[in-house]
Amino acid sequence: MDEHTFTIDADWNSIYIDGAWRSASGGDTIAVADPATRERVAEVPAGTEADVDAAYDAAEAAQPAWARERPQERGDVVERVQRLVETHHDDLTALLATESGSARPKAAREFTSTGEMMRDVATYPFRMSGSHSQSKVEHKENVVQREPVGVVSVISPWNFPFQLTLRAVAPAIALGNSVVLKPATETPISGGLLIAKLFEAAGLPDGVLNVVTGHGSEIGDRVASHPAMSAVAFTGSTDVGKRVAKNAAEQLAFPAMELGGNNPHVVLDDADVAEAVDAGVFGTFMHQGQICISINRHLVHEGVYDEYVERFVERAATLPVGDPHDEATVIGPIINEAERDRILDYVERSVEAGATLELGGSADGLFVEPTVLSDVTNEMAAACNEHFGPVAPIIPFDDDDEAVALANDTEYGLAGSVHSASISRARAVADRIDVGMVHVNDQPINNEPHVPFGGAKASGMGRYNGEWIIEELTEPKWTSVQHEPREYPF
């Protein structure tokens, strides 16, 4: 490896299939642009369906031998990848900033969470536990063991491209599966080709991981519906996720879907307002709000509403906006023009519907100002949609029942948070919010490797982390053993 192996300046113009770096069959490329400057910083191949088929052929051929590897060998590969990440931390941080607009606080959190997850995943090969039981048939025993599902498709997002790709790729590999990875078009390096380089350097056998970059409109359906796959892990929007899940279901492949969210931050009338604001600012503005579990709506009791709005605006106004490479920056750029325009449209439509613009509401290039809206209702555009930006719609409520009703008045059910001086009261409210993850006296941006991560309703199906992802990426096999001859009725 040379000094530029894991930097944006490396040569990224090859896809990775069967342990080899090769050109895409069509010869076209995709430009990678820095969202802060809009300058072209790299080019990656625009893969074709023929490239996808070649990747699955390699994955299918490599998987049986990989499944037979000793568990410590599979775990060691994951550990070696994590050591490489730690060794090249500065290069990877700079790459994330350049490709995805990740400011230092976000990049630090992404790498910390990835490290915690990878250390846990390295133990997965020894946690594929089965069972042994007696039989109703004399002299027979029953054994249930877990085996890898086979070939896993991974379609990864652009917002946390490194972490959210590895949280699917690393468990699949550790459990004895092979993988075909299609990264997001906006982040094909940090969510795809970089990961191939890391596993290659860690000694992963050829064909176990294959990466094909390309436009989702051209190869996405083929990745999600390939007959060689047994499971697909997708993170992204609900609309696209429904299509991916439908394609997977037609192949009888398990769809692990982590989709959109409209996450409420509920502040009850007895809450410590300063603490609720601290949590709310972090949960709203981390990575410009481009996180599936960020706060989408602030639901605040009318008794503390004015104080909350005032304190929140004061805090939001101080957040530094600018170059994500600058260590002082908190708010970096939005990923692209389409996302920026959608965010600003939601804000404009909400103001037209009667919301008060307390702060922000405009953009300089792809840098959207921290934006705060008061006098919001649940039906306004910035509240009823997943805005995915640095926007805080603040909605008043009258009592706990109304707070729960507002929180649940959405098709989504990913995450949420509740603040109260009474833990029991907060728990009572949290237990009634229909989400997969909820946090008391905190905010929703939380992830720990030993607890289930995922949502309800239109926010997806399946769970990542620990025993839950082990169950989804393996399948039980029942073997019975007849130790002495059995008598049959004929």
Side-chain angles (χ1 to χ4, degrees):
M1 292 184 293
D2 62 36
E3 61 180 332
H4 298 299
T5 297
F6 302 123
T7 71
I8 196 68
D9 299 322
D11 180 6
W12 299 106
N13 199 12
S14 299
I15 55 179
Y16 186 69
I17 297 176
D18 202 15
W21 295 94
R22 61 173 76 173
S23 299
S25 60
D28 293 333
T29 61
I30 299 171
V32 179
D34 182 337
T37 65
R38 302 314 284 152
E39 295 178 357
R40 179 179 297 200
V41 292
E43 286 188 349
V44 302
T48 66
E49 289 193 357
D51 297 319
V52 172
D53 289 343
Y56 279 99
D57 287 345
E60 200 170 19
Q63 191 273 327
W66 179 241
R68 291 192 297 268
E69 280 284 357
R70 294 179 302 168
Q72 61 266 38
E73 296 294 334
R74 302 200 304 270
D76 284 349
V77 167
V78 174
E79 287 187 348
R80 289 195 292 270
V81 169
Q82 178 53 25
R83 288 198 293 271
L84 285 167
V85 172
E86 293 171 351
T87 300
H88 297 277
H89 178 272
D90 291 346
D91 285 344
L92 301 188
T93 297
L95 196 158
L96 270 180
T98 300
E99 189 181 34
S100 69
S102 299
R104 291 300 177 93
K106 182 266 187 180
R109 192 173 186 88
E110 185 161 1
F111 286 124
T112 298
S113 293
T114 300
E116 294 168 346
M117 179 269 295
M118 294 288 277
R119 284 186 283 273
D120 195 54
V121 168
T123 70
Y124 284 10
F126 290 99
R127 292 159 62 182
M128 297 170 65
S129 57
S131 64
H132 178 276
S133 63
Q134 292 182 321
S135 171
K136 66 179 184 179
V137 178
E138 191 175 16
H139 306 303
K140 180 188 285 287
E141 65 173 331
N142 291 313
V143 178
V144 178
Q145 60 199 58
R146 285 209 160 268
E147 297 188 341
V149 295
V151 179
V152 176
S153 302
V154 177
I155 304 174
S156 63
W158 52 259
N159 59 333
F160 270 66
F162 191 70
Q163 177 189 351
L164 298 187
T165 302
L166 277 172
R167 76 167 179 182
V169 169
I173 289 173
L175 294 167
N177 301 288
S178 59
V179 174
V180 174
L181 165 61
K182 192 275 176 199
T185 308
E186 293 83 359
T187 52
I189 299 173
S190 55
L193 299 175
L194 168 65
I195 290 168
K197 279 192 178 183
L198 289 167
F199 273 98
E200 180 185 43
L204 185 69
D206 297 347
V208 177
L209 173 61
N210 307 273
V211 179
V212 181
T213 56
H215 296 287
S217 59
E218 296 175 3
I219 64 172
D221 284 347
R222 186 59 175 166
V223 173
S225 62
H226 201 281
M229 73 173 182
S230 297
V232 57
F234 172 83
T235 301
S237 71
T238 296
D239 286 344
V240 177
K242 288 178 179 178
R243 180 169 176 167
V244 170
K246 180 180 178 180
N247 285 335
E250 289 178 350
Q251 301 300 328
L252 299 180
F254 178 82
M257 302 280 110
E258 198 245 292
L259 307 178
N262 188 347
N263 311 306
H265 182 63
V266 179
V267 182
L268 303 180
D269 58 351
D270 64 344
D272 184 311
V273 174
E275 291 182 4
V277 167
D278 284 345
V281 167
F282 177 87
T284 296
F285 297 115
M286 168 64 80
H287 197 38
Q288 302 80 261
Q290 298 177 126
I291 307 176
C292 57
I293 51 176
S294 65
I295 296 170
N296 204 81
R297 295 170 294 153
H298 298 247
L299 309 180
V300 182
H301 190 277
E302 59 189 16
V304 295
Y305 186 85
D306 291 342
E307 180 186 359
Y308 186 91
V309 171
E310 181 180 0
R311 285 175 177 264
F312 195 92
V313 170
E314 288 176 355
R315 286 289 314 283
T318 67
L319 298 176
V321 180
D323 184 355
H325 293 275
D326 188 331
E327 292 187 4
T329 295
V330 171
I331 306 290
I334 298 301
I335 191 67
N336 58 38
E337 287 81 4
E339 289 292 312
R340 175 203 61 196
D341 293 346
R342 184 179 55 79
I343 294 164
L344 295 179
D345 177 63
Y346 288 156
V347 172
E348 182 180 351
R349 286 162 53 193
S350 297
V351 171
E352 290 174 352
T356 300
L357 183 64
E358 299 280 354
L359 182 72
S362 62
D364 180 6
L366 293 185
F367 294 90
V368 175
E369 297 175 315
T371 298
V372 183
L373 298 167
S374 64
D375 305 315
V376 178
T377 66
N378 226 29
E379 296 75 29
M380 292 179 180
C384 66
N385 295 290
E386 183 184 27
H387 54 67
F388 226 60
V391 180
I394 308 179
I395 302 171
F397 66 82
D398 179 59
D399 57 25
D400 292 5
D401 288 341
E402 185 182 10
V404 171
L406 288 169
N408 289 336
D409 186 18
T410 174
E411 66 174 319
Y412 299 107
L414 188 55
S417 47
V418 181
H419 275 253
S420 173
S422 167
I423 299 297
S424 60
R425 181 184 177 195
R427 276 296 307 271
V429 170
D431 287 348
R432 296 167 62 194
I433 298 177
D434 192 5
V435 292
M437 304 169 285
V438 64
H439 309 279
V440 170
N441 291 339
D442 197 357
Q443 45 70 49
I445 303 176
N446 285 281
N447 185 26
E448 298 187 37
H450 58 290
V451 293
F453 188 103
K457 301 195 293 189
S459 290
M461 57 190 299
R463 293 293 186 271
Y464 289 94
N465 297 341
E467 63 193 81
W468 298 273
I469 193 69
I470 292 174
E471 182 173 344
E472 290 172 8
L473 297 183
T474 62
E475 55 190 4
K477 180 178 182 179
W478 169 38
T479 302
S480 74
V481 180
Q482 187 70 38
H483 290 280
E484 295 185 16
R486 178 177 174 178
E487 293 185 5
Y488 300 99
F490 59 88

